[in-house]
Amino acid sequence: MRPRFLILSMTTIACLLPIRLIAINIQTVESMAADTLTAGEKLTVEQKLLSEYSHSTTFCKQAGQNIAIRYDLRPFSLTTVSLNGLYEERGNAALAQEGNGEKGFSAKVNSSVVLNQHNRLFGTASYRNGRRENVIWNENSDYSLLYPYVVGDSIGGYMKEEAYQFSGGYTHRHGKWTAGAEVDYRAVIAYRDKDPRPRNVISDLRASLALSRQLGRKYRLGLSVQARQYNQKSDIRYLADKGSTSVYQMLGLGMDYVRFAGSQTSSRYIGSGIGGSIDLLPTNGHGACDGFSASLRTDYFHLTKELPNVNYAPINEVKHTTLSLESAWTHRNREWEYGVRLLAAWQQRTGIENIFGDPTGSAYPKISSVAQYKNHTLQAALKGMIGQRPDGARRWGWTLLPTASYGQTKLEYKGNGRYVEIASAHGGLEAQSLWKMSGILLSASLAGGYTANVKSGYSLTGLDSKGSVSTTLLSNIDYLSDGHASLALGLRGDYAVNDRYAVFLSAHWLHQEYSRCGGTDRIEVSLGVTF
């Protein structure tokens, strides 16, 4: 019970910062000099929401991860409290290790507070309770972070999850300089109350420091550094009379660590990471990105998998490097806003297998290491924007967002020459509309697109196509290489109760239709208050 008690204690702490931010927000929103458009004209909650609906700010998404840059993206206090529900059904169009369905609910608080013209606070807190369906060949959580080195079996089943997350940040501006710091903590308990019964306990801590400086009248240059510490402990139990089944230490592309197959039902993952960014943001004094922006970010993460029952032998390691570049140009005036954004990303993931000699007592001496698993990924995306903003006497606005992207990935297991190579191209268009009427903001969006397979090939030397793990691998390849069409619909209504408070209700639906794998549906609903 101690890990659960620790997580609940951290959750209590997590709630304190956003609640404190809300209290500060309520006490100071009347007197904030920064919450003004012009001298003597205070921003209403409706005006703040109209600013939030602007797409020019979201075009600086990567640069906004720098907390010193974020100082300029929202020049007013705003807090959102929401309750959210999620339902997803994917059928055969899913990675087996992540399940083919999800349902759950969450509660979230997001707050930013302008204390005065020199100091700002940011904070979030959330709780999520959900369940993933039909997870096989993976008894761990955070598959996208651990793969391919998970503990797997052919039985699997549903996975229940409780997640707690909070973050807090502070920025200070002095002259042309802005400095900031931010801490983010996530805790997860995942389990199944049916054999096999995994219990995963996760702690994930991130911290960042950032600095920015005004360059002339138009631009701000920022630097940031980030650090991360990750831990996951997993244990599998069997309580049914029929006893336990074999579990496997997976190595990728259908391979497993034969020496440790069978009864090693406990695992521990320890990871650490470091990263940094250089960011350039246009600033015009109103919090909008208006002009050319750019952000170059790199991250490195190292993960070690240990088996506690064999003296914590470190059987696998992962080295993951990411490099991403985002550049954008936007322009907005009283009536129009338009822009274009280019995002390019490169990832390299290397998996290392440690080889051990005969044990001496309970110790397994490591005699060599082999980099067997490789995964290279390239992505490029181009997004445009053009639209009219509701302003003054005009109560209706619209936006068109065309997108085009290309991605390719190659997975290799060098020991037997296995590989999978997939490339795809995507094109789509999203149309959004916003109506303003008597304290009510109504927004609607409709998006459609198609993802086409450009290249698909694999070689799986020695694979037994009739085995469970082989069937799962081939099913995953079919899904990842399958072309599909998508259709999304979103609706949201905000009602301003008065100048300070607004309530909102939103719903989003996404349907994907795959050529071979069938259809998927995802529905999200939210109810909340903004002030």
Side-chain angles (χ1 to χ4, degrees):
M1 296 299 294
R2 291 184 63 186
R4 183 177 179 87
F5 174 78
L6 174 62
I7 292 175
L8 292 175
S9 301
M10 296 304 295
T11 307
T12 304
I13 297 173
C15 295
L16 296 180
L17 178 60
I19 291 174
R20 175 59 179 162
L21 296 182
I22 294 171
I24 295 173
N25 197 346
I26 295 173
Q27 294 168 3
T28 59
V29 69
E30 292 286 356
S31 59
M32 284 301 152
D35 277 13
T36 60
L37 289 173
T38 59
E41 182 184 355
K42 292 181 179 179
L43 283 173
T44 65
V45 68
E46 181 183 76
Q47 291 169 322
K48 294 179 182 181
L49 288 172
L50 283 173
S51 178
E52 292 293 291
Y53 277 114
S54 171
H55 290 280
S56 58
T57 300
T58 61
F59 264 47
C60 305
K61 184 176 181 180
Q62 182 169 296
Q65 296 179 26
N66 181 325
I67 192 171
I69 292 291
R70 204 182 312 157
Y71 185 101
D72 296 283
L73 296 181
R74 182 185 286 169
F76 48 78
S77 299
L78 188 69
T79 295
T80 300
V81 183
S82 64
L83 297 175
N84 316 284
L86 168 67
Y87 175 82
E88 184 176 33
E89 177 63 49
R90 300 198 62 87
N92 293 326
L95 284 177
Q97 291 88 346
E98 294 184 337
N100 66 357
E102 185 178 358
K103 55 186 176 182
F105 70 91
S106 63
K108 186 173 183 179
V109 179
N110 189 318
S111 186
S112 61
V113 178
V114 179
L115 295 176
N116 50 49
Q117 62 180 341
H118 298 292
N119 300 283
R120 298 184 182 181
L121 293 176
F122 304 89
T124 66
S126 67
Y127 167 77
R128 179 177 60 85
N129 188 306
R131 168 171 163 152
R132 293 184 291 123
E133 304 292 343
N134 302 317
V135 181
I136 60 173
W137 289 107
N138 174 28
E139 296 293 0
N140 298 107
S141 300
D142 290 343
Y143 177 74
S144 61
L145 190 65
L146 307 185
Y147 82 93
Y149 300 129
V150 294
V151 180
D153 61 72
S154 61
I155 300 175
Y158 61 83
M159 186 76 80
K160 297 180 180 180
E161 293 182 340
E162 291 183 64
Y164 310 81
Q165 186 167 2
F166 75 93
S167 66
Y170 168 76
T171 56
H172 173 76
R173 175 159 291 178
H174 180 74
K176 294 183 177 182
W177 293 91
T178 303
E182 187 171 30
V183 175
D184 183 285
Y185 179 77
R186 178 175 65 102
V188 180
I189 298 177
Y191 60 94
R192 184 188 304 123
D193 47 19
K194 180 181 179 181
D195 284 4
R197 302 169 187 252
R199 185 174 185 273
N200 306 324
V201 179
I202 299 169
S203 65
D204 190 1
L205 178 65
R206 306 175 191 232
S208 65
L209 296 173
L211 189 67
S212 70
R213 189 183 191 281
Q214 187 70 32
L215 301 178
R217 298 180 179 180
K218 184 69 176 180
Y219 288 96
R220 180 166 290 273
L221 180 66
L223 299 173
S224 71
V225 292
Q226 303 88 34
R228 182 179 188 182
Q229 184 65 43
Y230 178 88
N231 289 275
Q232 179 176 162
K233 182 180 179 182
S234 178
D235 294 290
I236 304 174
R237 294 184 179 182
Y238 297 86
L239 300 182
D241 294 337
K242 60 183 179 181
S244 62
T245 58
S246 295
V247 297
Y248 302 88
Q249 312 302 321
M250 306 309 297
L251 300 176
L253 293 183
M255 301 295 296
D256 72 277
Y257 208 143
V258 176
R259 181 174 185 178
F260 296 107
S263 59
Q264 297 299 327
T265 56
S266 296
S267 58
R268 186 174 72 172
Y269 298 84
I270 302 174
S272 60
I274 191 169
S277 68
I278 302 175
D279 311 285
L280 183 68
L281 183 78
T283 56
N284 61 10
H286 296 289
C289 295
D290 188 1
F292 175 78
S293 65
S295 175
L296 178 64
R297 181 185 177 96
T298 183
D299 291 282
Y300 173 77
F301 185 72
H302 181 270
L303 182 76
T304 301
K305 177 184 179 180
E306 299 176 341
L307 297 182
N309 292 337
V310 288
N311 202 31
Y312 291 92
I315 65 170
N316 299 117
E317 297 177 52
V318 170
K319 297 179 180 180
H320 188 92
T321 304
T322 301
L323 182 66
S324 59
L325 171 65
E326 177 190 79
S327 60
W329 178 84
T330 60
H331 180 66
R332 62 181 294 184
N333 53 36
R334 189 172 183 85
E335 181 178 358
W336 292 87
E337 64 177 357
Y338 39 87
V340 63
R341 179 179 66 185
L342 174 64
L343 177 65
W346 169 82
Q347 294 182 13
Q348 177 175 286
R349 189 176 186 88
T350 302
I352 299 171
E353 298 176 19
N354 294 326
I355 310 301
F356 297 89
D358 294 331
T360 302
S362 60
Y364 282 73
K366 186 173 74 172
I367 58 177
S368 67
S369 297
V370 183
Q372 293 277 35
Y373 181 84
K374 293 281 187 179
N375 185 357
H376 298 275
T377 301
L378 290 173
Q379 292 178 314
L382 182 66
K383 187 171 186 176
M385 172 187 65
I386 183 171
Q388 281 189 308
R389 302 167 57 239
D391 194 11
R394 187 174 56 260
R395 295 185 173 274
W396 176 68
W398 58 270
T399 307
L400 293 177
L401 300 161
T403 61
S405 64
Y406 173 83
Q408 66 179 40
T409 184
K410 184 174 183 179
L411 301 87
E412 301 175 85
Y413 190 85
K414 294 187 175 182
N416 53 14
R418 293 184 183 182
Y419 75 89
V420 176
E421 191 170 11
I422 298 172
S424 60
H426 171 81
L429 177 65
E430 181 178 3
Q432 298 184 351
S433 188
L434 178 64
W435 293 270
K436 182 178 69 169
M437 57 187 81
S438 302
I440 299 177
L441 294 176
L442 295 176
S443 64
S445 64
L446 178 65
Y450 187 79
T451 301
N453 178 260
V454 176
K455 182 179 182 180
S456 178
Y458 61 86
S459 174
L460 302 174
T461 306
L463 185 72
D464 177 12
S465 60
K466 295 182 180 180
S468 175
V469 68
S470 304
T471 302
T472 300
L473 174 60
L474 293 172
S475 175
N476 285 346
I477 295 173
D478 283 343
Y479 159 61
L480 293 173
S481 61
D482 198 2
H484 65 276
S486 60
L487 178 66
L489 176 65
L491 298 170
R492 172 165 170 157
D494 293 85
Y495 174 67
V497 179
N498 52 40
D499 287 347
R500 293 174 54 186
Y501 295 92
V503 295
F504 70 87
L505 176 65
S506 68
H508 294 86
W509 169 68
L510 171 64
H511 177 76
Q512 297 173 311
E513 192 65 34
Y514 286 78
S515 300
R516 300 186 302 270
C517 297
T520 75
D521 286 287
R522 180 183 178 92
I523 300 173
E524 295 180 80
V525 294
S526 297
L527 173 66
V529 58
T530 304
F531 55 92

